[in-house]
Amino acid sequence: MSDIFYVYGGTAYANLTNKCPCRCTFCIRQNGESVGNATNLWLNSDPTMDDILAALKEFPLSNFDELVFCGYGEPTCAVENLAATAKYVKEHYNVKTRLNTNGLGNMINGRDILPEIAPYLDAISISLNAPTAEKYDELCRPKYEGAFDEMLRFAKNCKGVIPEITLSVVDVISDDDIESCRKIAEDLGIHYRVRVKD
């Protein structure tokens, strides 16, 4: 049985899909089947909303302050279930909702997804990961051309729509690149975070 909801570092997470348009060289998926208390984050197929709600009923979400949409795939690859789950959580639980994303949801879905997800999110963390398109393509290996520029465009569009926005990098890049990414975030007026690789 694959885990839809799991706990890592004292925070609740939702694993809605294993699909992702990137093949990041540092991806946590390369470490094994799971993280935190999950037994297996590899999904045989994307869960339906019935599956998600049934799993949520068995999960002690009320014991947590936040639910983060982040599993072994890019959550916006399942944007309809992402929006519906976040909406349900906001209506039935007193918890903060956050999306961890590569910022390519509009490319993935071929439309502007912000109107669908923004009303139900308190925070969003977007993976910047590199200071230039060339380095981004080398590190994240996206299947889309222009992914870096699209990610930055998406981040800009989140401003004023989602209350808390963070651009993040993983500490697998050089100190100079980390500082260059910090400058990008500062220029955009977006909070910046350096994540430690698990």
Side-chain angles (χ1 to χ4, degrees), residues 91-166:
E91 290 173 346
H92 294 86
Y93 296 87
N94 183 29
V95 298
K96 179 179 176 181
T97 53
R98 171 164 49 104
L99 169 62
N100 286 1
T101 178
N102 59 26
L104 304 180
N106 291 348
M107 280 183 153
I108 293 165
N109 293 284
R111 64 181 188 273
D112 180 9
I113 64 168
L114 269 177
E116 300 169 53
I117 62 174
Y120 314 113
L121 294 176
D122 298 298
I124 188 165
S125 180
I126 302 166
S127 298
L128 173 57
N129 288 334
T132 66
E134 181 181 11
K135 289 183 176 183
Y136 179 90
D137 287 348
E138 183 180 331
L139 187 69
C140 299
R141 300 181 294 185
K143 73 176 188 178
Y144 302 113
E145 287 187 20
F148 180 76
D149 291 335
E150 172 58 29
M151 174 269 299
L152 289 177
R153 188 178 305 115
F154 182 78
K156 292 175 190 175
N157 291 342
C158 287
K159 291 181 68 175
V161 180
I162 297 174
E164 296 178 23
I165 310 166
T166 299

Side-chain angles (χ1 to χ4, degrees), residues 18-92:
N18 288 162
K19 297 172 186 171
C20 185
C22 296
R23 296 176 297 113
C24 298
T25 57
F26 56 84
C27 185
I28 195 171
R29 290 156 45 129
Q30 299 173 31
N31 293 351
E33 293 184 349
S34 63
V35 296
N37 78 338
T39 54
N40 182 11
L41 292 179
W42 291 111
L43 302 164
N44 293 324
S45 60
D46 284 2
T48 65
M49 273 309 297
D50 286 343
D51 295 332
I52 293 167
L53 293 177
L56 187 56
K57 186 177 179 181
E58 300 298 318
F59 185 80
L61 185 57
S62 297
N63 295 343
F64 297 90
D65 296 326
E66 182 180 43
L67 176 65
V68 181
F69 292 93
C70 178
Y72 263 13
E74 164 53 41
T76 61
C77 286
V79 70
E80 290 86 1
N81 285 349
L82 165 62
T85 305
K87 181 176 187 288
Y88 183 90
V89 167
K90 295 308 289 182
E91 290 173 346
H92 294 86

